[in-house]
Amino acid sequence: MSPALIIIGLFVVAPILYAVFLSLNKVELIGASSFEFRGLDNYAKVALDDRALIALKNTAFYVVIVVPVQTLLALVLAASLNAGMKGEKFFRIVYFLPTLTSSAVLTLIFMWMYNQNGLINKFLEFLHLPTYNWIGDPDVALIAIMIMNIWATAPFYMVIYLAALQDVPESYYEAAELDGANAFQKFRHITVPHLRPVTSFVVIMGLIGTFQLFDQSYIFSGGSGGPNNSTLTVVLLIYQYAFKTLGTMGYATALAFMLALIILAATLLQRKFSKEETLY
């Protein structure tokens, strides 16, 4: 076990312990390193930091919208592909293509599409619908990122659901059909209950991924979190404090630990609720 323990100690335990040390100090790592012990001041400072509160609000709004929508969309896509429709293999490939695309490349493509004279606004004009300044308007910038990420991540979870659907006994559907159940009733009373453990896994993975939103927000805003802090997320704020502002590495580490605790709490709550549901 020694090789594994050494690797875990060097690359997991030691960085965590060092991060704890940094979070309790005012740290300057550029040039001559300096440390000034602050205790829990870095953690208390979060409540007084307006940008931290804005980032937390944006991240929470993003999580609350994206996780349920991408989970439901993935389930519906998987169920439709599992129903034996024509061209099933072709649609599986087409649906999964967004997941194979680099996140940075995907963001740049959508930024081109979101341009005021881009493809999406042209399509909206064709339908005689209102157009938007997707990148420059604070009211819609975060929503634009949500749409992009739902489109990109739902196919990944769709594949997980497709694998799980293979384990649902076909005899259940046949019995329900003999009892006069329609397609929606079979989906609601057979498919969804049998996929609860998988749904729990998908939601937990979605929570972890959405709370850690960084690259799309960084590229969209050029690293600023704009316009008007509308795309500022907690991880982007941590990056700004850690590498863009002098003397705030300790505070950035404290923010990172608080984000980890929030993710842990959200994950445990989801697991608790999913276990309660399986009792019925």
Side-chain angles (χ1 to χ4, degrees):
M1 293 175 63
S2 296
L5 291 175
I6 291 172
I7 291 173
I8 293 172
L10 285 176
F11 297 105
V12 178
V13 178
I16 291 175
L17 294 177
Y18 186 57
V20 172
F21 169 75
L22 291 178
S23 71
L24 300 175
N25 288 268
K26 179 181 179 182
V27 183
E28 178 60 69
L29 294 180
I30 300 175
S33 299
S34 62
F35 303 90
E36 179 183 337
F37 184 73
R38 290 289 184 87
L40 298 177
D41 287 354
N42 285 330
Y43 293 91
K45 183 181 174 183
V46 175
L48 304 175
D49 187 349
D50 291 339
R51 297 192 76 228
L53 297 178
I54 291 172
L56 183 58
K57 178 183 175 182
N58 289 341
T59 304
F61 177 63
Y62 177 85
V63 171
V64 168
I65 299 299
V66 172
V67 172
V69 174
Q70 73 181 11
T71 303
L72 179 60
L73 179 59
L75 178 56
V76 171
L77 289 175
S80 63
L81 288 177
N82 195 59
M85 58 185 291
K86 289 185 178 181
E88 178 184 332
K89 292 183 179 179
F90 171 76
F91 284 110
R92 285 190 184 188
I93 296 172
V94 171
Y95 288 161
F96 195 67
L97 282 178
T99 304
L100 302 177
T101 308
S102 164
S103 177
V105 173
L106 189 67
T107 305
L108 292 174
I109 292 172
F110 266 82
M111 287 182 69
W112 169 75
M113 294 171 62
Y114 280 140
N115 189 282
Q116 283 189 289
N117 296 315
L119 182 63
I120 293 178
N121 276 344
K122 292 293 185 184
F123 181 70
L124 293 174
E125 285 180 0
F126 176 75
L127 297 177
H128 302 288
L129 296 173
T131 60
Y132 299 95
N133 182 7
W134 295 97
I135 299 175
D137 187 347
D139 293 331
V140 297
L142 186 59
I143 295 174
I145 297 178
M146 290 180 186
I147 294 171
M148 176 186 67
N149 276 338
I150 290 170
W151 181 80
T153 55
F156 172 74
Y157 298 120
M158 176 198 73
V159 173
I160 297 174
Y161 274 124
L162 270 174
L165 283 169
Q166 309 304 313
D167 294 330
V168 181
E170 189 65 30
S171 58
Y172 289 2
Y173 295 106
E174 294 173 355
E177 193 170 344
L178 290 174
D179 288 337
N182 57 34
F184 177 76
Q185 290 172 326
K186 288 189 285 185
F187 176 78
R188 178 184 174 187
H189 296 290
I190 299 176
T191 305
V192 173
H194 275 82
L195 294 180
R196 277 178 182 166
V198 178
T199 299
S200 177
F201 170 78
V202 168
V203 171
I204 289 173
M205 295 301 294
L207 285 172
I208 295 172
T210 50
F211 268 115
Q212 295 178 344
L213 174 67
F214 169 74
D215 48 352
Q216 295 94 337
S217 179
Y218 179 89
I219 297 171
F220 251 75
S221 64
S224 68
N228 195 26
N229 291 326
S230 61
T231 61
L232 182 66
T233 62
V234 176
V235 178
L236 178 56
L237 185 65
I238 291 170
Y239 166 80
Q240 291 177 352
Y241 279 131
F243 302 107
K244 296 294 184 180
T245 307
L246 296 178
T248 54
M249 175 66 78
Y251 178 55
T253 310
L255 278 173
F257 268 107
M258 295 184 75
L259 176 63
L261 291 175
I262 291 172
I263 295 174
L264 177 62
T267 302
L268 292 176
L269 281 173
Q270 199 284 327
R271 284 174 59 87
K272 182 177 184 299
F273 289 138
S274 65
K275 286 181 180 179
E276 288 179 353
E277 285 181 359
T278 58
L279 296 178
Y280 296 96

